[in-house]
Amino acid sequence: MSDDPRPSSPGVRTEARTGARTGARTAAVIPAAGRGVRLGPGAPKALRTLNGTPMLIHAARAMAASRAVSLVVVVAPPDGTAETKSLLDAHALPERTDFLVVPGGESRQESVRLGLDALPPGVDIVLVHDAARPLVPVDTVDAVIEAVREGAPAVVPALPLADTVKQVEPADAPGAPEPVVATPERSRLRAVQTPQGFDRDTLVRAHETVTENVTDDASMVEQLGLRVVVVPGHEEAFKVTRPLDLVLAEAVLARRRLNDGF
């Protein structure tokens, strides 16, 4: 896929379409306000490049690849909103999808809430996607959306675990031995990915109700006592967290270019 800037670009599209769409209307929120310190010093994690293109652009393209997604809301660092708008405007993105950039908050949870606040009326399904998962295939995105359309209030893509997992008593000092307290049954465990999909009203209520900091939005819905379901994830939807993950992501992109010209 070409990364050439769009000719005579009119600017990032900030108004959502109001035309009729088949089925429930879907928007994606991408919180991208964090710095990602585990990747080391440098640009914020979402702006680190893969094959010369920022991860944020790859993630936005991944959401826009689904024809069900009509709007992508990028939640940028408060001091980087203008830069993020320019970045989106400078890369080839699907014309059928609208994009909106809003300033984020101090935590991921607050940034998602600010993204929700920016959604226009008429959006019924909301995807929340990590900018650090730039390579999620469109089939995974569509599977999440379809499960919400079929009535699930919250949906997460996930993979079975390949490794045995141990529950431990955390050590008092970093690097100290940690006693094992349990070995959960691996067949009942899943490694959760994004995008996570939600009925919009459910996700809004979760953010209004759950005040403690959480690691994902689905756990907020769980705390409401509502059903969260899992659909199959994909091995290429891994999270880029450490330098080795960047190497793996570059290898995936190289394989895609070789196989199908991605």
Side-chain angles (χ1 to χ4, degrees):
M1 180 179 290
S2 171
D3 291 331
D4 292 337
R6 284 176 279 170
S8 304
S9 174
V12 176
R13 299 178 298 281
T14 58
E15 295 297 329
R17 290 188 181 89
T18 56
R21 293 178 60 86
T22 302
R25 190 157 175 244
T26 302
V29 174
I30 303 179
R35 292 207 60 86
V37 295
R38 283 178 288 180
L39 270 178
K45 180 163 59 175
L47 301 185
R48 300 292 180 96
T49 60
L50 297 175
N51 191 31
T53 300
M55 283 199 291
L56 174 59
I57 298 300
H58 286 289
R61 287 173 175 167
M63 296 300 98
S66 171
R67 291 191 167 272
V69 176
S70 60
L71 172 66
V72 175
V73 178
V74 176
V75 188
D79 60 351
T81 303
E83 178 186 5
T84 303
K85 287 180 180 178
S86 297
L87 187 69
L88 288 168
D89 197 43
H91 289 78
L93 295 163
E95 288 293 333
R96 67 173 181 269
T97 307
D98 294 308
F99 293 86
L100 176 66
V101 179
V102 298
E106 295 184 0
S107 67
R108 181 187 185 280
Q109 190 170 337
E110 184 180 0
S111 291
V112 172
R113 181 183 58 78
L114 291 169
L116 283 173
D117 290 344
L119 294 178
V123 171
D124 304 298
I125 296 173
V126 180
L127 304 179
V128 181
H129 184 57
D130 296 332
R133 297 185 190 269
L135 304 179
V136 57
V138 67
D139 288 350
T140 301
V141 180
D142 288 339
V144 171
I145 294 170
E146 185 60 28
V148 180
R149 283 179 172 171
E150 290 177 353
V155 180
V156 297
L159 292 175
L161 297 183
D163 298 319
T164 297
V165 175
K166 299 291 185 183
Q167 182 181 342
V168 302
E169 185 68 35
D172 295 330
E178 298 175 321
V180 171
V181 297
T183 303
E185 184 181 343
R186 188 174 64 186
S187 65
R188 298 177 63 87
L189 300 177
R190 299 292 182 269
V192 173
Q193 302 174 328
T194 69
Q196 298 184 354
F198 304 90
D199 167 76
R200 177 182 181 172
D201 291 341
T202 297
L203 186 57
V204 168
R205 181 156 67 94
H207 275 268
E208 291 173 344
T209 304
V210 179
T211 56
E212 63 266 29
N213 197 27
V214 294
T215 57
D216 74 344
D217 296 271
S219 63
M220 301 173 70
V221 174
E222 290 175 49
Q223 292 187 46
L224 297 181
L226 299 178
R227 183 170 61 108
V228 178
V229 301
V230 169
V231 297
H234 196 280
E235 61 182 5
E236 293 181 359
F238 61 89
K239 190 173 186 179
V240 177
T241 303
R242 296 176 175 84
L244 185 60
D245 298 326
L246 286 171
V247 176
L248 179 58
E250 292 278 8
V252 171
L253 284 174
R255 186 182 67 182
R256 288 183 179 181
R257 290 195 303 272
L258 182 64
N259 290 345
D260 51 30
F262 174 83

